[in-house]
């Protein structure tokens, strides 16, 4: 019943010489555009773009007066308000040399983009709309966030890849060394984590808590025996056997006993000496260049081949130092994929700035927050609904006051999250949705709900069978008698005739 | 999640019951008879009867024999009767005097004890240089635990004074982890006087030895000790030591190499300073088997020291036991406030510690816990090599549980990283002790081999281990006669003094390349050159026994007998009793009698129980005179439980966990300061402070007590009966209400007519 509205504040800033001639009103002006997101859900989700059209200020003009788009992006960054979820788009003249040839849209590292003017207002509008969706959310990103609640048919193949929203994640890097007799593998994981993973996680710390572990597992083998290929004298792992690889390994990974957060596993597998080199084949039979694959909502595996020593008389074990740059490149790409930060297919005239050392751009973080907020609210509603259904089904569950207050708290937080979403305050909405999830989970999993479950009605009935059975016998007998008599009475009149 | 967890534990409980019941019935046959006293009259009966079959009035049971002798009987093949004979004889000799409570309240002289005493003296005499090692000056001195608080003890004696238990030893003088972390230049034991130094030095040596500076930061060492026990069984003790050279991982990032991640995270997340978990099936029979390297009580034992930074220790303890329960598949989640205690003196940190505030300690025992494969598998998973290589290859569950005793443990403690002790490392010790009954399974021969016991042989060392050794105890009983022969020839022979006894070990170093030169696998074999004289069982210096006596279901008495068989030294022992709340102890009935005289404990800590909240805790420091038996009795009343509090098998009885004895036992032979690192044994966990005594912890038998048990089928019976009555009444009422009654017209002159008819029948005329 409540209106589920996602409001995105957008500022469209026209540089001198880029204002289209057919503007409906003189600058500056406001414009609101609503769109329904076609997810088969109730209540339906609408997106609302609150756009402010204005001219550049003198500072912005100076910032735009540089040689390349990257420099402009860096110079414009301090001029924007850092509100999460808000977007600023600078429209530059058609002839501007800021954007390379053939590129009409440049998306920066932060929450701004450069758009080439031209083709009138209508063309600009479609371009802006496309851009807004790329930088905030699209129907597919929202439906991926709601993938557990949306019927299967509507989803793309990648929709279930993303990790579910959670308050925290545990990232575990595991080095699997199945053959410690021949390979003494060493990896400098501390340095690699500090250098490559930590910046990304610092950026993501707004979304969730992260903890990072690493471990080395010995004698951990894959569940599949690779096939020997004579031509390349190497071992091959075909794509269809990859699903069987994970299970035997997973038993060794160690459960996260100390926390309840979902675990992201990144495994580096150094194949046994008798099975190396080992390559992963894709569906077409071509070797995968990264020699890695990932499993949705679970993590990734990379096979790291050790170069065979030149002389066969090398004393074992062979000391191997893992090239962490190569490994971390793959793992970070997989991490982005698992968080749903893949760069989707974009029109050819879009250019995305690489996120640099931080691993993801500000607007990508916003995308994540939009999706997680929506997912959190949906989770809360599902949790509370199932709690209500459970209570309907089992009448003798006692809801204590503290559980009830958690439920009220969850509902209030969820409502405030929706209100903040509709007002365009992404950060506040996300915080409220997190609180709502916490409260609703606490209410649902409260141990006091289970206390009095052990007296099902059928058992009560069984205890009183000694009463019911003897009482039922005369009733049934007399019923039978009545039936018999009724039948006889029916027969008798025919006899009379 | 929750319901399924509950179900699991429930299922486990049922399994427990079934296992125990079966075992009990087996224990009944074949065991030597022990006496069951009924109101002062001695009855002869098997211990099995005493436990399982005798009516409650006779249930003055002595101890739990089923646990002590055949803990895994259902799995064991029944040995032939002839082989048993010898066993029974042996057992009678040794169990009988102690098995029955001394009559007339006077301790009897013990034939077994005196003989062993003679032996000990004889041995001492054979080495005059070692007799009276450091005089008996310390014999009468009684250490006062309260003096723990005073930092400086009188400097009269550095080494001789027997200190009571490790608890009373000061360990605070180590450089603390905190100090190490901030890199303050603080030499250990800096500016301390001689007494302090003396106490610190051995510890330092030990810790220094435990952590040699290595290029690789973590280290694994694996050891296997095979020791033939006096009674003919063989004990195999595995120890895997993993060192983790990392400061306490406080941050969000932690990296593990050899140390298992699951335990590392646990230590970090819950602020654990020391963790000791033991899961044991069966009971170590100290009298017949001698001192165990590391004893554990039957069932599950968990004791944990938390960091001083932990604010809510109880919450952390609860969380910890739940997580451990998940990791080890054990029912540790049943640890709650009703079986948790905080001992004040018995358990002290075994690693680096900065102060011993016992509020940070929690101790719990679950005597009912049954240990099986499901607990072994996760334990093996914590080893870096798993069970794929190294000594762990031998850990085949099928064989390990086909044994008389099985105990697996995990100890985590902080140790010094190097000799300077400026940084802290974490040490994980995984130990597993198993006792094989080679005598009954080997056709009456005591010969054994690795293959016979484990049905595997060793082929290589774990490639990650920096040390991998097998030790075989080949200590000769008498100096001149070499009785045993081990094949293949050992790589070296090592001599050490362990627990007051001189021992010789044959050492097989799996890392030495020569070992696997001749054959691909190592199958250590031991042969006895001639049949061993089985009567020569040495009696351990300290052993104890406990039983419940009394009749009826209202009151009872717990008696503990502690034996000091040392010929001339007295020593103190700390006794810890944990009794559940449903046995209400009467403290005024506590009596301690030694040699017919009352023995006043020098320290008593008693914490009364609170119903359904916490158990009784009784800790006492008792001086044991030389060559004496001390009897401690305390009476109790059995409480009535609520009907939901009974276990699924209430008539089986309720277990009371073992009591714990901690003592510094004076050694008969002077011990020299050996390099503990070289010693294969586990002395390094309990270091001895000086050469004249060694620390020992003993556990008594767990007790099984019957509580007044209501007839649980009664409510159902009442319902049945009432329902039947109601149903009958209902039936007749129903009949009355629904039947239609016809009044039949009586035919007139009925009687006359009948009479007339009879007459007519007589006459042959047709009736009317």
């Amino acid at each position: 019943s409540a209106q589920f509205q996602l409001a995105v504040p957008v500022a469209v800033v026209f540089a001198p010489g880029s204002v289209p001639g057919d503007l409906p009103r003189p600058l500056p002006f406001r414009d609101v555009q609503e769109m329904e997101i076609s997810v088969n859900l109730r209540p339906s989700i609408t997106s609302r773009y609150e756009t402010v059209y204005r001219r550049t200020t003198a500072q912005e003009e100076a910032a735009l007066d540089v040689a390349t788009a990257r420099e402009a992006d860096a110079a414009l960054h301090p001029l924007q308000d850092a509100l999460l979820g808000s977007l600023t788009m600078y429209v530059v003249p058609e002839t501007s040399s800021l954007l390379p040839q053939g590129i009409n849209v440049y998306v920066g590292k932060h929450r701004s983009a450069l758009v080439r003017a031209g083709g009138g207002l209508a063309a600009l509008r479609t371009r802006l709309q496309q851009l807004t969706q790329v930088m905030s959310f699209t129907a597919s990103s929202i439906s991926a966030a709601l993938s557990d609640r949306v019927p299967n048919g509507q989803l793309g193949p990648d929709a279930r890849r993303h990790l579910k929203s959670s308050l925290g994640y545990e990232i575990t890097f595991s080095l699997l060394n199945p053959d410690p007799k021949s390979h003494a593998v060493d990896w400098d994981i501390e340095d690699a984590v500090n250098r490559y993973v930590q910046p990304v996680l610092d950026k993501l710390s707004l979304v969730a808590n992260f903890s990072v572990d690493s471990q080395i597992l010995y004698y951990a083998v894959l569940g599949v025996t690779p096939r020997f290929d004579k031509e390349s004298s190497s071992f091959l792992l075909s794509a269809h056997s990859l699903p069987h690889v994970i299970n035997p390994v997973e038993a060794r990974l160690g459960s996260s006993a100390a926390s309840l957060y979902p675990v992201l596993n990144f495994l580096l597998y150094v194949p046994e000496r008798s099975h190396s080199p080992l390559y992963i084949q894709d569906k077409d039979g071509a070797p995968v260049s990264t020699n890695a694959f990932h499993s949705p909502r679970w993590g990734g595996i990379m096979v790291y081949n050790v170069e065979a020593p030149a002389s066969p008389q090398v004393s074992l074990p062979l000391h191997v130092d893992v090239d962490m740059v190569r490994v971390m490149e793959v793992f970070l790409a997989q991490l982005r994929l698992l968080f749903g930060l893949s760069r989707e297919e974009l029109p050819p005239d879009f250019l995305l700035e690489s996120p640099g050392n931080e691993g993801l751009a500000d607007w990508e973080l916003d995308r994540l927050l939009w999706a997680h907020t929506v997912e959190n609210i949906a989770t809360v509603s599902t949790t509370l609904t199932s709690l209500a259904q459970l209570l309907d089904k089992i009448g003798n569950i006692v809801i204590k006051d503290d559980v009830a207050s958690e439920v009220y708290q969850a509902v209030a937080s969820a409502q405030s999250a929706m209100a903040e979403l509709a007002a365009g305050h992404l950060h506040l909405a996300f915080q409220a949705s997190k609180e709502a999830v916490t409260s609703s989970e606490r209410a649902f999993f409260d141990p006091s709900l289970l206390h009095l479950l052990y007296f099902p009605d059928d058992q009560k009935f069984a205890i009183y069978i000694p009463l019911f059975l003897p009482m039922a016998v005369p009733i049934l007998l007399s019923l039978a008698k009545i039936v018999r008599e009724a039948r006889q009475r029916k027969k008798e009149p025919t006899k009379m005739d | 999640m929750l319901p399924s967890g509950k179900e699991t534990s429930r299922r486990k409980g049922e399994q427990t019951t079934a296992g125990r019941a079966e075992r009990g019935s087996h224990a009944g046959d074949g065991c030597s008879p022990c006496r069951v006293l009924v109101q002062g009259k001695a009855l002869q009966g098997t211990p099995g009867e005493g436990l399982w079959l005798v009516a409650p009035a006779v249930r003055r049971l002595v101890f739990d024999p089923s646990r002590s002798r055949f803990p895994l009987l259902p799995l064991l093949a029944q040995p032939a009767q002839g082989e048993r004979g010898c066993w029974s004889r042996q057992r009678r000799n040794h169990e009988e005097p102690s098995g029955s409570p001394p009559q007339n309240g006077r301790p009897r002289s013990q034939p077994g004890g005196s003989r062993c005493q003679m032996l000990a003296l004889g041995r001492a005499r054979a080495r005059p240089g070692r007799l009276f090692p450091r005089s008996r000056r310390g014999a009468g001195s009684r250490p006062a635990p309260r003096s723990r608080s005073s930092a400086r003890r009188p400097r009269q004696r550095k080494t001789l004074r027997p200190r009571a238990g490790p608890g009373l030893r000061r360990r605070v003088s180590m450089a603390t982890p905190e100090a190490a972390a901030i890199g303050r230049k603080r030499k250990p034991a800096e500016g301390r006087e001689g007494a302090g130094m003396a106490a610190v030095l051995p510890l330092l040596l030990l810790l220094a030895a435990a952590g040699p500076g290595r290029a690789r930061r973590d280290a694994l060492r694996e050891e296997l000790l095979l020791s033939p026990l006096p009674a003919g069984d063989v004990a195999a003790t595995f120890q895997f030591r993993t060192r983790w050279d990392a400061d306490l991982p406080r941050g969000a990032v932690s990296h593990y190499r050899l140390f298992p991640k699951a335990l590392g995270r646990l230590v970090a997340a819950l602020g654990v300073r020391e963790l000791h978990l033991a899961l044991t099936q069966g009971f170590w029979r100290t009298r017949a088997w001698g001192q165990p390297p590391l004893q554990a009580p039957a069932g599950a034992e968990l004791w944990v020291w938390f960091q001083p930074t932990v604010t809510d220790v109880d919450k952390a303890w609860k969380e910890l036991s739940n997580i451990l329960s998940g990791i080890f598949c054990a029912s540790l989640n049943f640890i709650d406030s009703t079986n948790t205690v905080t001992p004040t003196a018995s358990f002290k940190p075994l690693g680096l510690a900065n102060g011993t505030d016992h509020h940070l300690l929690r101790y719990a025992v679950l005597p009912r816990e049954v240990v099986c494969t499901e607990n072994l598998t996760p334990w093996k998973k914590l080893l870096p090599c798993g069970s794929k290589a190294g000594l762990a290859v031998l850990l085949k569950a099928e064989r390990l549980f086909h044994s008389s005793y099985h105990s697996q443990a995990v100890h985590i403690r902080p140790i010094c990283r190097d000799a300077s002790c400026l940084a802290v490392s974490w040490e994980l010790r995984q130990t597993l002790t198993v006792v094989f009954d080679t005598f009954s399974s080997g056709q009456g021969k005591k010969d054994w081999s690795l293959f016979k016991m484990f049905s595997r042989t060793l082929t290589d060392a774990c490639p990650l281990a920096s040390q991998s050794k097998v030790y075989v105890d080949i200590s000769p009983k008498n100096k001149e006669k070499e009785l045993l022969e081990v094949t293949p020839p050992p790589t070296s022979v090592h001599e050490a003094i362990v627990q007051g006894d001189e021992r010789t070990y044959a050492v097989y170093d799996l890392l030495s390349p020569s070992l696997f030169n001749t054959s691909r696998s190592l199958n250590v074999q031991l042969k006895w050159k001639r049949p061993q004289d089985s009567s020569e069982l040495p009696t351990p210096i300290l052993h104890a026994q406990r039983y419940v006596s009394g009749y009826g279901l209202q009151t009872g008495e717990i008696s503990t007998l502690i034996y000091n068989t040392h010929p001339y030294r007295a020593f103190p022992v700390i006794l810890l009793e944990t009794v559940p709340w449903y046995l209400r102890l009467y403290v005024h009935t506590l009596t301690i009698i030694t040699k017919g005289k009352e023995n006043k404990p020098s320290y008593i800590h008693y914490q009364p129980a609170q119903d359904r909240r916490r158990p009784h805790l009784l800790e006492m420091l008792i001086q044991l005179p030389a060559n004496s038996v001390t009897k401690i009795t305390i009476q109790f009343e059995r409480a009535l439980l609520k009907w939901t509090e009974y276990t699924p098998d209430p008539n089986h009885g309720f277990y009371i966990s073992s009591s714990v004895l901690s003592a510094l036992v004076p050694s008969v032979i002077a011990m020299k300061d050996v390099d503990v690192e070289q010693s294969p044994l586990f002395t390094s966990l309990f270091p001895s402070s000086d050469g004249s005594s060694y620390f020992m912890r003993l556990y008594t038998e767990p007790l099984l007590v019957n509580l007044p048990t209501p007839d649980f089928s009664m409510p159902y019976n009442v319902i049945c009966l009432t329902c039947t009555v109601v149903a009958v009444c209902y039936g007749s009422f129903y009949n009355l209400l629904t039947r239609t009654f016809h009044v039949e017209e009586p035919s007139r002159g009925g009687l006359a007519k009948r009479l007339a008819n009879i007459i007519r029948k007589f006459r042959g005329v047709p009736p009317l």
Side-chain angles (χ1 to χ4, degrees), chain B residues 586-619:
Chain B
Y586 293 141
V587 190
H588 70 277
T589 62
L590 176 71
T591 55
I592 305 168
I593 291 168
T594 313
K595 291 183 172 169
K597 274 184 283 177
E598 198 186 341
N599 185 346
K600 269 207 135 151
S602 45
Y603 169 72
I604 291 193
H605 171 73
Y606 175 67
Q607 192 187 36
Q610 284 175 352
D611 279 7
R612 299 180 179 85
R613 272 218 227 122
R614 67 169 196 218
H616 300 272
L617 168 68
L618 179 62
E619 268 187 301

Side-chain angles (χ1 to χ4, degrees), chain A residues 53-54 65 82 93 102 164 167 190 198 204-205 266 385 432:
Chain A
Y53 296 89
R54 64 177 170 85
D65 190 22
K164 298 187 69 178
L167 302 179
E190 275 116 325
Q198 208 54 53
L204 280 172
S205 63
F266 293 104
T385 316

Side-chain angles (χ1 to χ4, degrees), chain A residues 170 172 180-181 187 189-190 198 210-216 218-219 251 253 257 450 454 463 466-467 470-471 474-475 478, chain B residues 2-3 6 217 252-258 261 265 323 381 384-385 388-389 460 463-464 716 719-720 723 726-727 730 734:
Chain A
E170 275 181 39
T172 303
K181 261 188 197 156
W187 65 345
I189 184 74
E190 275 116 325
Q198 208 54 53
F210 287 91
S211 70
V212 183
D213 284 328
S214 82
Q215 59 179 345
I216 302 180
Y218 299 93
Y219 292 103
L253 290 179
L450 287 172
Y454 287 105
I463 286 175
L467 178 65
M471 273 167 71
I475 296 177
S478 46
Chain B
L2 280 171
K6 209 160 192 174
R217 297 195 304 168
V253 184
S254 47
H255 303 283
Y256 303 89
R257 281 174 177 78
L258 298 175
K261 184 177 83 115
R265 285 200 62 98
I323 295 174
K381 256 204 298 195
C385 278
K388 299 272 172 50
D460 56 353
L464 311 164
Y716 185 67
I719 289 174
C720 273
C723 290
V726 170
Y730 170 81
Y734 183 84

Side-chain angles (χ1 to χ4, degrees), chain B residues 529-542:
Chain B
K529 282 185 181 158
R530 59 195 184 85
Q532 204 191 11
D533 200 354
S534 60
S535 62
E536 281 183 30
L537 287 182
T539 313
I541 287 175
L542 173 70

Side-chain angles (χ1 to χ4, degrees), chain B residues 16-183:
Chain B
T16 313
T17 318
R20 287 266 158 74
E22 208 176 327
R23 204 174 308 145
S25 63
H26 273 282
D29 45 42
C31 291
S32 71
C34 73
R35 288 184 183 180
V36 181
L37 288 182
V38 187
Q39 296 171 9
K41 206 164 58 173
L43 288 185
Q44 287 293 115
T46 64
E49 275 168 8
L51 241 182
W52 308 103
L53 306 173
V54 180
V58 196
R59 200 181 291 270
R60 221 172 144 164
L61 68 105
V62 180
F63 65 107
D64 186 345
S66 64
R67 284 193 139 297
S68 65
R69 180 60 206 121
F70 295 117
L72 271 174
L73 258 179
L75 295 177
L76 271 177
Q78 283 289 71
Q81 205 58 40
E83 298 161 15
R84 262 298 158 68
C86 185
W87 270 115
S88 310
R89 210 167 48 244
Q90 255 178 22
R91 277 174 56 77
R92 201 167 297 137
N93 281 345
H94 291 273
E95 302 281 357
E96 201 179 349
S98 52
S100 61
Q103 293 173 35
N104 308 330
R106 190 158 48 85
R108 287 187 307 189
S109 69
Q110 291 184 32
S114 57
R115 189 170 57 236
C116 296
Q117 182 185 321
M118 296 283 285
L119 261 179
L121 274 172
R123 195 184 312 152
R125 215 165 283 140
R127 271 181 288 278
R130 287 182 183 173
L131 184 61
F132 306 121
R134 294 194 187 167
S135 82
R136 43 173 90 184
R137 249 196 281 176
S141 66
R142 175 173 299 174
R146 285 174 211 91
S147 68
R148 258 184 313 139
S149 49
S150 63
R152 288 182 192 94
R153 302 180 50 96
R155 261 198 281 166
Q156 60 204 44
R157 216 29 271 169
K158 284 190 279 191
T159 47
L160 281 197
R161 204 177 167 101
R163 263 164 259 167
L168 310 181
R169 210 176 304 146
R170 291 186 54 80
R171 283 163 192 280
V172 288
S173 42
M174 303 308 306
T176 65
E178 287 82 4
I182 51 174

Side-chain angles (χ1 to χ4, degrees), chain A residues 13-20 27 54-65 90-96 117:
Chain A
V13 183
F14 292 99
S18 68
V19 185
L27 289 173
R54 64 177 170 85
R55 287 180 198 280
T56 45
T57 59
Q59 280 172 317
E60 284 167 340
E61 231 168 275
L64 282 171
D65 190 22
Y90 296 93
V91 183
V92 293
E94 200 167 358
T95 55
S96 168

